[in-house]
Amino acid sequence: PAVVSFSHDIVPVFNSYCNTSGCHSGGSPAGNLNLESSKAYAQLIKPSRGYIDTIHPDYSLLYAQMNSTSPSMPPTGKLDSCKINLVLKWIQQKAKNN
């Protein structure tokens, strides 16, 4: 899409691959990062956590982790490049809560 929507484009990726049981959900989420739809934006945008860097999007921890192979995120295997690029584009568009 020309404009990436957090609620329509990014949250579904998190719901399908990230906030599954034992990962980024519940009371003790992996990495202390809860990506459930009601909490994801506030968790990602928190200052000083580094998950989102709109000035240098390639340095955003969220993007870096999605590109990492050690350990792979999600653990079931790296996301396809379309989904990863969608997240990067959202960050490049200033990571709005839209």
Side-chain angles (χ1 to χ4, degrees):
V3 175
V4 180
S5 165
F6 182 73
S7 61
H8 291 107
D9 300 312
I10 304 303
V11 168
V13 172
F14 293 160
N15 287 343
S16 295
Y17 301 98
C18 307
N19 69 14
T20 56
S21 179
C23 286
H24 296 285
S25 64
S28 298
N32 202 27
L33 175 63
N34 190 319
L35 294 177
E36 293 173 9
S37 55
S38 63
K39 298 175 183 174
Y41 190 79
Q43 292 270 307
L44 289 169
I45 211 71
K46 240 181 203 174
S48 77
R49 293 194 76 185
Y51 291 117
I52 303 295
D53 183 343
T54 58
I55 296 168
H56 305 288
D58 292 357
Y59 296 132
S60 295
L61 186 57
L62 176 65
Y63 176 70
Q65 285 297 112
M66 291 177 128
N67 270 312
S68 178
T69 56
S70 178
S72 175
M73 291 289 165
T76 56
K78 186 176 174 180
L79 294 177
D80 66 64
S81 61
C82 274
K83 289 177 181 62
I84 293 171
N85 288 333
L86 186 67
V87 170
L88 177 61
K89 188 173 182 179
W90 171 71
I91 298 169
Q92 290 169 333
Q93 293 177 351
K94 305 301 180 200
K96 295 177 183 168
N97 188 10
N98 53 356

